[in-house]
């Protein structure tokens, strides 16, 4: 044992001495290598100044005491921006887009009057959407009219519009006796009158409110109406010159549209109310086709309100320049179609008539033995409504087990409707979406919109924006997060989306439409103050050109309006190149989750510019 202990101590001492020799050798070799390098660099002139140079603190000291060695100014700015992360694709290398001609200031590509003349006039087919072919697409920026001014803020905009923004006086002549619009100096004023409500829109709405309850939250969405809930007005382009354009300029939701041969671009069971005041639509013709379409978009228990011809024709027939017989025939035709749809006529008082759609079809199916027309539709998607022909068949409601049950599920009253899980999701009819996903999406968008308001101060400013567009709305979370702002959002569900969620959006008490973004939207130029585009360019990759989508965004965006585009960084780099060609002020910023998330935000503002003054305008100004 003693021999083993002495051996271990000897080996340990030997090892320590060896390690010490190795360390000393390494130090010597490193020192020699370092000094040799300095000698080569300074050609042998080793001095303290070379080893430890003293740098001047200021430019003056540098001039007085220059140093023979080269001084390099350090640049701490970023040299790797998001735009340089990936190479630009050839299609994204856009040149500057020039302004279009001044006469195109109100150009609406899919409702172009010249193109419409090529189509059939039967059933007003020529007034429907007819979009230009790819070779016809304009590659220029639609100008605002000369003298265009930032619209009045809501609620002042409801009553006042700048003449320069909508330079059309025709309606002031056509509707001079209706107290609807007046021209005063440099602006239009809207006193609130109309053909069927000479006492003003407020009094007219009060009259409707005495017949059905507009205040308990059961009614939220409406179509073709001025009711103070959440309406979408629609009318053909130029039937009454600039009527839709005036609505949008005033801050009221509206789209260009017409009841002709195709379904309106809304899902089934969307609206609480459909309203028509002197709209002169032939409701009783074509086997009741237009009332059948109204039935499709009305929710179970919803209301159809009609004022104007032929309602109360007995007291108005002379003023309408119609015969008693023709008006009576029209009235009877409407009543007959309504009964065949299983609607109940609730009331007719003075100039207002109201029908109510059934809450389910239990009785209606039994009535088919009496009313053989229209038959129930078979094997069709009632929510398909993009270039889809109307059918003269009744859209069936979901089966119920009790006569008092509401088909599809009862909607919560407003405002609870906004955050309550919609019936379409509860029933499992929306593929891949359940109540938990709906709740998480609502919370995510609250955080995202809060972040948006920190990077776009105009969005954070109450009242700065009134008309907003969400190009890929999904469940409407963006609009829901803005519900307390004095604004409305047109929620678009692209027809190319994986899941059709527009019905869910309406069940939340929000509004929206379908759209293919390879085509133009059915609206006038300068409709929106703000556009939100979530993953649009990823969705439309290889479907159409980036520049065509952005040119359409430029057309419908107001001067000095803003855009937030969120997408993968690779996509946004190409998008920004085209945005620069549009002469928008833009910048890229991080996702609300931080810099390590691939998804980024592109924030842009459209510059203010207008068409040049015409000779007449220039002389008038002088």
């Amino acid at each position: 044992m003693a021999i083993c202990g002495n051996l271990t101590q000897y080996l340990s001492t030997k090892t320590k001495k060896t390690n010490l020799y190795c360390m000393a050798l390494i130090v010597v070799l490193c020192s020699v290598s370092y000094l040799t390098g300095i000698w080569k660099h300074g050609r042998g002139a080793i001095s303290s100044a070379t080893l430890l140079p003293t740098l001047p603190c200021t430019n003056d000291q540098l001039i007085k005491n220059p140093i023979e060695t080269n001084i390099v100014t350090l640049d701490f700015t970023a040299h790797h921006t998001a735009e340089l992360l990936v190479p630009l694709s050839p299609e994204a290398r856009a040149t500057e887009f020039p302004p279009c001609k001044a006469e195109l200031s109100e150009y609406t590509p899919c409702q172009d009057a010249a193109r419409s003349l090529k189509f059939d006039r039967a059933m007003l087919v020529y007034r429907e959407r007819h979009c230009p072919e790819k070779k016809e697409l304009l590659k220029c920026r639609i100008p605002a009219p000369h003298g265009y001014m930032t619209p009045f803020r809501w609620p002042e905009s409801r009553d006042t519009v700048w003449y320069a923004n909508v330079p059309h006086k025709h309606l002031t002549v056509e509707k001079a006796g209706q107290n609807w619009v007046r021209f005063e100096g440099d602006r239009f004023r809207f006193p609130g009158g109309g053909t069927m409500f000479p006492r003003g829109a407020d009094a007219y709405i009060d009259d409707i409110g005495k017949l059905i309850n507009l205040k308990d939250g059961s009614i939220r969405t409406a179509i073709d109406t001025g009711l103070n809930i959440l309406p979408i007005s629609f009318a053909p382009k130029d039937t009454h010159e600039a009527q839709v354009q005036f609505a949008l300029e005033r801050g009221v939701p509206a789209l260009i549209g017409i009841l002709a041969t195709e379904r309106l671009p809304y899902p089934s069971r969307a609206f609480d109310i459909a309203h028509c005041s002197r709209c002169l639509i032939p409701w009783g013709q074509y086997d009741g086709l237009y009332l059948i379409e109204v039935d499709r978009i009305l929710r179970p228990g919803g209301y159809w309100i009609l004022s104007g011809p032929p309602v109360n024709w007995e007291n108005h027939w002379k003023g309408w320049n119609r015969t008693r017989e023709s008006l009576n025939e029209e009235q009877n035709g409407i009543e007959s179609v309504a009964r065949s749809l299983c609607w109940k006529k609730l009331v007719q008082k003075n100039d207002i008539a109201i029908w109510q759609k059934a809450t389910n079809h239990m009785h209606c199916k039994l009535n088919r033995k009496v009313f053989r027309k229209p038959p129930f539709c078979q094997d069709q998607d009632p929510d398909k409504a993009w270039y889809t022909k109307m059918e003269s068949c009744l859209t069936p409601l979901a089966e119920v087990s009790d006569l008092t049950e509401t088909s599809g599920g009862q909607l919560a009253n407003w405002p609870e409707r906004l955050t309550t899980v919609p019936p379409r999701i509860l029933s499992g009819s929306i593929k891949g979406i359940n109540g938990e996903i709906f709740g998480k999406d609502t919370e995510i968008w609250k955080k995202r919109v809060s972040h948006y308001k920190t990077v776009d101060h105009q969005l954070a400013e109450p009242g700065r924006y009134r008309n907003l567009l969400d190009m890929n709305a999904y469940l409407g979370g963006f609009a829901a997060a803005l519900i307390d702002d004095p604004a409305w959002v047109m929620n678009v569900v692209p027809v190319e989306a994986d899941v059709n969620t527009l019905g869910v959006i309406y069940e939340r008490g929000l509004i929206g439409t379908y759209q293919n973004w390879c085509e133009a939207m059915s609206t006038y130029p300068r409709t929106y103050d703000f556009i939100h585009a979530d993953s649009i360019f990823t969705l439309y990759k290889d479907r159409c050109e980036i520049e065509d989508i952005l040119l359409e965004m430029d057309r419908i965006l107001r001067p000095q309006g803003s855009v937030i585009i969120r997408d993968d960084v690779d996509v946004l780099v190409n998008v920004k190149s085209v945005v620069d060609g549009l002469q928008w002020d833009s910048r890229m910023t991080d996702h609300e989750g931080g810099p390590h998330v691939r998804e980024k935000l592109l924030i842009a503002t459209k510059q203010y510019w207008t068409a040049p003054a015409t000779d007449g305008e220039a002389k008038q100004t002088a």
Side-chain angles (χ1 to χ4, degrees):
M1 293 293 292
I3 295 173
C4 289
N6 292 335
L7 181 60
T8 300
Q9 184 177 3
Y10 170 78
L11 291 175
S12 176
T13 303
K14 185 73 172 178
T15 302
K16 289 180 181 179
K17 290 181 179 180
T18 302
N19 289 341
L20 183 60
Y21 294 149
C22 289
M23 289 177 64
L25 180 61
I26 290 171
V27 170
V28 171
L29 291 174
C30 288
S31 299
V32 170
S33 176
Y34 175 68
L35 294 173
T36 301
I38 292 176
W39 178 81
K40 287 183 178 180
H41 181 71
R43 297 188 178 182
I46 303 175
S47 67
S48 61
T50 306
L51 292 173
L52 297 172
T54 303
L55 297 178
C57 295
T58 66
N59 290 336
D60 292 339
Q61 290 176 330
L62 179 62
I63 294 172
K64 294 177 181 178
N65 185 27
I67 299 177
E68 294 181 359
T69 55
N70 293 329
I71 297 176
V72 179
T73 302
L74 297 180
D75 181 7
F76 293 99
T77 59
H79 291 275
H80 299 282
T81 60
E83 294 89 334
L84 301 176
L85 291 178
V86 293
L88 293 177
S89 61
E91 64 271 17
R93 295 185 181 277
T95 57
E96 295 291 324
F97 295 97
C100 300
K101 296 178 181 178
E103 54 265 31
L104 292 173
S105 66
E106 294 181 2
Y107 181 58
T108 52
C110 298
Q111 276 82 21
D112 181 60
R115 184 178 297 102
S116 71
L117 297 177
K118 303 176 184 178
F119 297 90
D120 191 355
R121 288 180 171 269
M123 291 186 70
L124 301 178
V125 169
Y126 77 107
R127 304 293 295 279
E128 294 181 314
R129 281 177 62 89
H130 301 291
C131 298
E133 297 179 6
K134 184 176 177 60
K135 61 183 179 181
E136 300 176 286
L137 296 177
L138 297 181
K139 301 294 184 178
C140 55
R141 296 175 289 132
I142 300 297
H146 180 72
Y148 177 90
M149 300 176 69
T150 301
F152 292 94
R153 291 196 178 190
W154 184 266
E156 187 179 1
S157 66
R158 187 184 68 170
D159 304 320
T160 310
V161 167
W162 295 114
Y163 168 74
N165 294 8
V166 191
H168 301 292
K169 297 181 183 178
H170 180 70
L171 280 176
T172 64
V173 177
E174 182 178 328
K175 296 181 178 290
Q178 300 176 17
N179 199 33
W180 183 70
V181 58
R182 298 173 183 170
F183 177 65
E184 300 176 358
D186 59 356
R187 65 198 67 187
F188 293 104
R189 294 203 182 275
F190 296 83
T195 309
M196 296 310 301
F197 31 96
R199 295 181 294 121
D202 291 340
Y204 176 75
I205 293 169
D206 288 341
D207 289 342
I208 294 176
K210 294 172 184 176
L211 305 177
I212 58 175
N213 196 333
L214 299 177
K215 297 180 178 179
D216 67 352
S218 62
I219 294 173
R220 168 64 179 171
T221 54
I223 186 168
D224 188 26
T225 175
L227 302 179
N228 188 23
I229 37 185
L230 186 58
I232 293 182
S233 299
F234 81 94
K237 183 177 184 292
D238 296 333
T239 294
H240 294 299
E241 188 176 0
Q243 193 156 281
V244 169
Q245 192 176 10
F246 269 128
L248 292 165
E249 193 71 17
R250 296 172 67 187
V252 176
L255 286 169
I256 298 171
I258 189 171
L259 275 169
T261 66
E262 293 177 346
R263 286 178 172 179
L264 298 175
Y266 314 114
S268 65
R269 312 194 320 269
F271 295 98
D272 299 311
I273 287 178
H275 172 262
C276 168
S277 176
R278 199 177 174 83
C279 52
L280 306 179
I281 293 173
W283 297 111
Q285 296 182 22
Y286 313 118
D287 296 323
L289 186 66
Y290 298 146
L291 278 178
I292 289 172
E293 173 64 0
V294 171
D295 179 86
R296 182 186 71 85
I297 63 175
L298 267 185
R299 69 167 173 83
Y303 302 96
W304 184 56
I305 303 175
L306 177 66
S307 65
V311 177
N312 199 14
W313 64 265
E314 297 88 347
N315 294 317
H316 295 295
W317 67 277
K318 290 183 179 179
W320 290 339
N321 295 318
R322 297 269 302 276
T323 65
R324 298 168 61 96
E325 292 75 19
S326 67
L327 286 164
N328 185 51
E329 182 181 359
E330 183 180 351
Q331 176 88 35
N332 290 336
I334 290 173
E335 301 278 7
S336 177
V337 174
R339 285 193 298 270
S340 73
L341 298 176
C342 304
W343 292 3
K344 177 183 178 181
K345 189 172 185 179
L346 289 182
V347 64
Q348 179 173 323
K349 185 175 181 180
N350 299 324
D351 298 334
I352 298 173
I354 301 178
W355 286 262
Q356 185 175 23
K357 180 178 176 177
T359 55
N360 60 65
H361 277 164
M362 286 187 74
H363 274 320
C364 198
K365 290 181 177 179
L366 296 175
N367 289 342
R368 289 304 90 184
K369 297 177 182 179
V370 178
F371 296 101
R372 298 186 182 277
K373 290 185 178 180
F376 282 104
C377 301
Q378 303 292 328
D379 301 324
Q380 58 136 257
D381 181 356
D383 290 345
K384 186 179 180 182
W386 186 252
Y387 293 125
T388 302
K389 292 295 181 183
M390 287 190 281
E391 298 180 58
S392 56
C393 58
L394 182 59
T395 300
L397 293 174
E399 296 288 343
V400 294
S401 57
D402 186 85
L403 189 60
T404 61
E405 188 179 346
T406 299
S407 288
Q410 181 65 43
L411 290 175
N413 287 349
W414 183 263
E416 290 78 14
R417 189 181 296 188
L418 182 68
T419 53
T420 301
V421 180
R424 275 176 164 89
I425 292 178
L426 285 175
S427 67
S429 60
I430 306 298
K431 182 180 178 182
I433 302 175
N434 56 31
E436 182 180 0
I437 292 173
F438 173 80
K440 287 182 179 178
D441 184 77
T442 299
E443 293 305 313
I444 285 172
W445 280 106
K446 286 181 182 178
K447 295 177 182 177
R448 287 180 173 177
V449 169
S450 178
H451 178 67
Y452 286 172
K453 289 184 176 182
T454 65
V455 295
D456 184 346
H457 299 298
Q458 292 190 124
L459 182 63
E461 183 183 347
R464 173 64 181 84
Y465 296 140
R466 171 65 181 173
N467 302 2
L468 280 70
L469 172 68
D470 190 355
M471 296 177 68
N472 189 13
Y474 187 46
L475 300 177
F478 171 76
L482 289 165
I483 202 63
D484 293 327
D485 290 9
W488 60 270
V489 179
M490 183 65 74
N491 294 281
V492 171
V493 172
V495 292
E496 294 80 8
D498 292 336
V499 184
N500 182 354
T501 53
L502 192 55
V504 169
I505 288 169
Y506 274 96
E507 287 183 342
R508 300 187 73 174
L510 304 170
I511 57 173
T513 186
Y514 295 113
Q515 176 67 33
N516 176 349
W517 288 114
C518 291
E519 299 179 359
M521 195 176 186
S522 290
T523 192
Y524 285 87
R526 301 171 300 281
T527 288
Y528 295 102
D529 303 300
F530 178 91
I531 298 177
H532 178 245
D534 180 12
S535 305
I536 276 292
F537 295 96
T538 291
L539 179 63
Y540 282 91
K541 185 179 180 181
D542 301 326
R543 287 189 167 105
C544 50
E545 304 297 332
I546 289 176
E547 66 181 34
D548 292 331
I549 297 176
L550 285 166
L551 280 165
E552 174 61 6
M553 292 169 68
D554 183 81
R555 184 185 75 88
I556 62 179
L557 184 65
R558 288 174 171 170
Q560 298 181 312
S562 293
V563 173
I564 292 182
I565 304 171
R566 60 184 305 132
D567 219 313
D568 185 87
V569 63
D570 291 1
V571 175
L572 284 188
V573 168
N574 289 335
V575 170
K576 189 177 187 309
S577 174
V578 182
V579 163
D580 292 342
L582 293 172
Q583 298 183 25
W584 292 358
D585 296 323
S586 68
R587 69 187 191 278
M588 287 180 64
T589 187
D590 288 327
H591 179 281
E592 62 276 359
H596 301 297
V597 181
R598 281 193 59 84
E599 189 175 62
K600 304 294 180 185
L601 303 179
L602 177 61
I603 302 165
T605 300
K606 180 178 176 178
Q607 294 182 5
Y608 174 87
W609 67 280
T610 71
T614 62
D615 292 339
E617 290 169 334
K619 290 178 182 179
Q620 187 176 7
T621 303

